[in-house]
């Protein structure tokens, strides 16, 4: 029987920490200087590693920006939100969780989103990374739209595809950019977006005649 190759946990952890330090350095420098003006050598210097380590751990600048986009799209809060949504049956509660979850991800990934969106016209690699991040973000909202459709809580004139578009309108990057520009608190914005998206997407509750006095 062939032996499995031995993998040192210490080495794996060290490699993960090195990669994280490199991506943190790249994120900071891309935000401060712009993608085009940042060199791999500058990233290595900020991370405290050799230039060759950047290439072996992540890659050149296109790989760095892609990794930032992938890591941002894979934020653990997104997974938690999708897990909650899969278990919820109330449409408004699903939208409340979506509002607060997308707000939290936007806040946690603010620097990465700024780098991707502010630099996407400077280089095709940034544009590709931004497109990938947006695609994955919309795919997550698509899963939420599918859940609402499966629960039959959407308005009669809205199908799953239109629901995804409306979710993107209320919870996409442009919506949360507007929140920051307006200076709203994240909590206030999430509550307002929950109300507005509920009105746009969900069947209104049945009208109940007033009880006789």
């Amino acid at each position: 029987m062939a032996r499995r190759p031995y993998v040192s946990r210490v080495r794996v952890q060290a490699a993960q920490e090195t990669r994280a330090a490199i991506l943190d350095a790249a994120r900071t420098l891309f935000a401060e200087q712009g993608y085009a003006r940042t060199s791999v050598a500058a990233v290595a210097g900020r991370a405290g590693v050799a230039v060759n380590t950047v290439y072996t751990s992540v890659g050149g600048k296109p790989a760095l920006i892609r990794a930032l986009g992938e890591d941002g799209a894979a934020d653990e809060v997104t997974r938690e939100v999708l897990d909650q949504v899969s278990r919820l049956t109330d449409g408004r509660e699903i939208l409340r969780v979506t509002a607060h979850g997308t707000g939290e991800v936007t806040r946690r990934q603010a620097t990465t989103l700024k780098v991707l969106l502010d630099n996407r016209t400077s280089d095709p690699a940034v544009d590709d990374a931004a497109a990938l991040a947006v695609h994955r973000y919309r795919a997550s909202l698509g899963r939420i739209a599918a859940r609402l459709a499966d629960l039959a809580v959407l308005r009669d004139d809205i199908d799953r595809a239109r629901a995804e578009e409306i979710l993107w309108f209320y919870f996409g990057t442009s919506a949360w950019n507007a929140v920051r520009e307006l200076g709203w608190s994240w909590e206030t914005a999430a509550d307002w977006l929950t109300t507005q998206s509920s009105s746009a997407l969900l069947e209104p509750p049945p009208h109940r005649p007033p009880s006789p006095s």
Side-chain angles (χ1 to χ4, degrees), residues 5-132:
Y6 172 72
V7 178
S8 168
R9 291 184 180 178
V10 173
R11 288 184 181 179
V12 170
Q13 182 176 352
Q16 292 172 341
E17 291 173 353
T18 297
R19 181 182 184 278
I22 290 169
L23 291 182
D24 284 344
R27 183 185 299 106
T28 299
L29 290 174
F30 290 159
E32 292 176 353
Q33 302 175 176
Y35 177 83
R37 292 190 296 274
T38 300
S39 66
V40 174
V43 172
R46 176 63 69 95
V49 300
V51 171
N52 188 56
T53 302
V54 176
Y55 284 103
T56 56
S57 296
V58 184
K61 283 173 60 176
L64 287 168
I65 196 69
R66 184 178 181 87
L68 288 174
E70 290 176 342
D71 283 10
D75 191 294
E76 62 183 14
V77 172
T78 300
R79 294 194 297 272
E80 292 170 0
V81 167
L82 291 174
D83 180 62
Q84 281 187 270
V85 166
S86 70
R87 292 181 278 107
L88 291 170
T89 57
D90 180 79
R92 184 179 174 87
E93 181 63 11
I94 287 174
L95 293 175
R96 187 193 70 79
V97 168
T98 301
H100 287 268
T102 55
E104 178 65 13
V105 171
T106 301
R107 180 165 48 184
R108 286 160 58 98
Q109 301 296 332
T111 302
T112 296
L113 288 170
K114 184 178 188 307
V115 167
L116 293 173
L117 299 178
D118 289 357
N119 293 269
R120 66 184 308 173
T121 60
S122 68
D123 191 282
V126 185
D127 190 45
D128 289 344
L132 174 64

Side-chain angles (χ1 to χ4, degrees), residues 109-172:
Q109 301 296 332
T111 302
T112 296
L113 288 170
K114 184 178 188 307
V115 167
L116 293 173
L117 299 178
D118 289 357
N119 293 269
R120 66 184 308 173
T121 60
S122 68
D123 191 282
V126 185
D127 190 45
D128 289 344
L132 174 64
V134 167
H135 173 75
R136 292 189 175 182
Y137 192 170
R138 288 202 59 163
S140 295
L141 294 178
R143 290 174 61 181
I144 295 170
R147 178 62 176 163
L148 293 170
D150 289 344
L151 292 171
V153 296
L154 294 172
R155 287 171 35 184
D156 288 341
D157 58 337
I158 296 175
D159 59 13
R160 193 213 65 80
R162 179 55 61 86
E164 179 184 332
E165 294 172 348
I166 293 172
L167 287 172
W168 180 249
F169 179 86
Y170 284 107
F171 304 120

Side-chain angles (χ1 to χ4, degrees), residues 188-209:
T188 296
D191 290 343
W192 186 85
L193 289 169
T194 299
T195 299
Q196 299 304 313
S197 61
S198 296
S199 177
L201 284 166
L202 305 180
E203 282 287 354
H207 175 71
R208 294 181 180 180

